[in-house]
Amino acid sequence: MFDSLNSVAFTAFGQDIKWSDMTGNVIGLLALALGWRRSLWTWPAQLLSGAVLVAAYASAQLGGGVGKQLLVIAVAAWGWRQWSLGRRRAQDGSLAVRFATWKERGLLLGGAALGTLAVGGLFTLYPSLSWSPWADAYIFVGTLVAMVAQARGLVEFWFAWLLVDLVGVPLAFNSGLAFSGLVYVIYGALVLWGMRDWWLRSRTAPAPALEGAPA
């Protein structure tokens, strides 16, 4: 199955575009757009995107990328549950959003720093896991931080995605995943758009933390 997913769909600008890379990232774009709309369907879309992209990153021998997608699948399942059981319900299926408290920001930044050091150290000790250990670790941990913030309805989740994109674009192109690199660029534009929308919504209607979500 992985062999068919990793076959070349077409070639553009001297780069082979793999089916797994293209399909997984198109679904990922849809998931990001649904997240901007605060739709519950963002989570199953992220889960499916992660499942397909496991094949793409495995073919590029990016252990951190594979781990990141497995993490995406796990966190997407958790986020899906959080929004389903603990969110403020509305007819359009949307979520009330808010800015993080300073304590929450500190926890997110501290977790990102410590996580990157730990994962980067692991990849350095075991080079077979990734040919670019620190960049791969940064993306791996940054994705986790972004998704946790999204699950809690925090505007800061968009800032986290922007920081991931800054490293994700060059790493994807250098790893032969040209479609991923292109999609990361599109992600950047969507993230700015979504950030503006969530920011304005958080200002016009103060939102409480998710009911039932862990403190």
Side-chain angles (χ1 to χ4, degrees):
M1 180 180 176
F2 273 17
D3 288 341
S4 2
L5 276 174
N6 286 323
S7 61
V8 176
F10 59 91
T11 300
F13 305 106
Q15 293 269 5
D16 290 335
I17 307 300
K18 299 175 181 178
W19 280 110
S20 56
D21 188 24
M22 180 174 65
T23 305
N25 278 295
V26 167
I27 299 171
L29 278 175
L30 174 63
L32 188 65
L34 289 168
W36 164 50
R37 298 295 301 169
R38 295 163 297 126
S39 168
L40 181 65
W41 289 101
T42 185
W43 297 109
Q46 286 190 51
L47 197 154
L48 180 58
S49 172
V52 175
L53 286 173
V54 165
Y57 283 97
S59 71
Q61 296 184 327
L62 285 174
V66 173
K68 183 189 84 170
Q69 297 307 325
L70 293 175
L71 196 61
V72 163
I73 293 170
V75 178
W78 174 71
W80 194 352
R81 181 178 181 276
Q82 291 293 95
W83 282 26
S84 296
L85 301 181
R87 64 198 177 98
R88 177 185 291 169
R89 300 207 178 255
Q91 284 189 343
D92 64 357
S94 64
L95 171 80
V97 298
R98 64 184 176 90
F99 277 92
T101 64
W102 284 108
K103 178 181 178 181
E104 288 171 323
R105 290 172 184 167
L107 289 172
L108 290 172
L109 287 171
L114 292 175
T116 300
L117 287 173
V119 176
L122 176 66
F123 289 165
T124 301
L125 285 174
Y126 299 95
S128 60
L129 292 176
S130 175
W131 68 268
S132 183
W134 291 105
D136 218 1
Y138 174 90
I139 293 172
F140 180 98
V141 176
T143 298
L144 172 62
V145 169
M147 292 186 70
V148 167
Q150 181 185 6
R152 294 188 61 92
L154 303 179
V155 177
E156 283 79 1
F157 117 78
W158 296 105
F159 292 94
W161 271 127
L162 273 181
L163 293 174
V164 168
D165 277 358
L166 291 177
V167 176
V169 171
L171 182 63
F173 278 112
N174 289 336
S175 302
L177 297 175
F179 201 84
S180 282
L182 174 62
V183 168
Y184 270 122
V185 175
I186 300 173
Y187 273 160
L190 287 177
V191 163
L192 290 173
W193 195 358
M195 182 191 299
R196 178 181 179 277
D197 182 73
W198 277 39
W199 192 313
L200 292 175
R201 288 179 184 278
S202 72
R203 296 299 189 191
T204 56
L210 296 176
E211 297 173 6

